[in-house]
Amino acid sequence: RDRSNLVVGLLLPVGLILIFGFGISFDVKDARVAVAMEDSSPIARDTVAGLRGSPYLAPVWVRSMTEAERLVRAGKADAILRVPGDFSRHMAAGHGQLQLLLNGVDSNTAAAIEGYVNGALAVPLQQRGDRAGNKPAGAASVVIVQRTWFNEASESTWYVVPGLIVLVMTMIGAFLTSLLIAREWERGTLESLFVTPVRPLELVIAKLTPYLVVGIIDLTMCVVAARLL
């Protein structure tokens, strides 16, 4: 018969589904890949042309590795595709090489970007092999040398634990404050506060400040545990 509890019971699951459904997603779209074109020959441009047609990649064209590394460290790129300056010469000899550097902080995103880049580069190579009448040779003419930065072992905990800390702090803060108000009401002390000259804002600040301190201590404990354990 309590309508407020009934509304919470019916709407809260829908709200959580929407929040977590849209907020927690491992889909990778428009991944920013810095393409360092140290070789600007037509062969090099044709080899990486497939990146433009992929709906999952958003290539950023730069001229040097220094600029590409700056984008990755600033969080403006998730990976680097390096076309070395001698690519055309090695390509003509049948053993061209490209370097793919992935930001391993998010291991799931790094693995997805690796697959998307390999698939995008395979399209022009396959077309070139079809024109040459030799598909195996065309597909094997370019080797992608892959490296992972910042998290070479691709440990998922490096990405999961920081997000888990946020979730833990949110839940603890909500539970502590809601239990506090409920306990105050059950004990009758909340009614006593109503007859005091304290203002509503002062009351809210007084109730939040102790739990803010507790939250800071909890956050410190979580960070220390994440770092050491």
Side-chain angles (χ1 to χ4, degrees), residues 47-153:
T47 301
V48 299
L51 298 177
R52 294 190 180 95
S54 175
Y56 305 102
L57 301 175
V60 180
W61 308 95
V62 297
R63 296 183 177 181
S64 65
M65 275 294 295
T66 303
E67 187 177 355
E69 291 178 12
R70 189 182 303 114
L71 292 176
V72 171
R73 295 184 182 278
K76 298 180 179 179
D78 303 309
I80 298 175
L81 181 63
R82 181 187 182 188
V83 183
D86 56 355
F87 176 78
S88 299
R89 180 168 55 85
H90 288 287
M91 189 69 175
H95 50 80
Q97 285 190 348
L98 299 175
Q99 186 179 31
L100 179 60
L101 303 172
L102 300 168
N103 186 348
V105 173
D106 182 357
S107 57
N108 294 319
T109 301
I113 293 176
E114 180 182 3
Y116 294 150
V117 171
N118 289 332
L121 295 178
V123 174
L125 294 177
Q126 184 68 33
Q127 293 175 351
R128 185 180 304 165
D130 293 341
R131 290 194 299 266
N134 188 355
K135 297 181 181 180
S141 59
V142 175
V143 176
I144 301 176
V145 182
Q146 181 264 330
R147 294 289 183 273
T148 302
W149 282 358
F150 313 124
N151 185 13
E152 296 183 6

Side-chain angles (χ1 to χ4, degrees), residues 198-218:
V198 63
R199 296 184 177 90
L201 179 60
E202 296 173 346
L203 176 61
V204 172
I205 294 177
K207 294 298 182 183
L208 289 180
T209 301
Y211 289 95
L212 176 61
V213 176
V214 173
I216 294 174
I217 297 175
D218 290 340

Side-chain angles (χ1 to χ4, degrees), residues 140-187:
S141 59
V142 175
V143 176
I144 301 176
V145 182
Q146 181 264 330
R147 294 289 183 273
T148 302
W149 282 358
F150 313 124
N151 185 13
E152 296 183 6
S154 298
E155 297 183 9
S156 60
T157 53
W158 287 22
Y159 175 73
V160 173
V161 171
L164 186 61
I165 292 177
V166 177
L167 181 60
V168 169
M169 295 306 303
T170 302
M171 296 182 65
I172 288 180
F175 285 152
L176 287 180
T177 51
S178 61
L179 290 176
L180 168 69
I181 298 300
R183 191 177 300 110
E184 293 276 9
W185 186 264
E186 291 174 354
R187 293 177 179 177

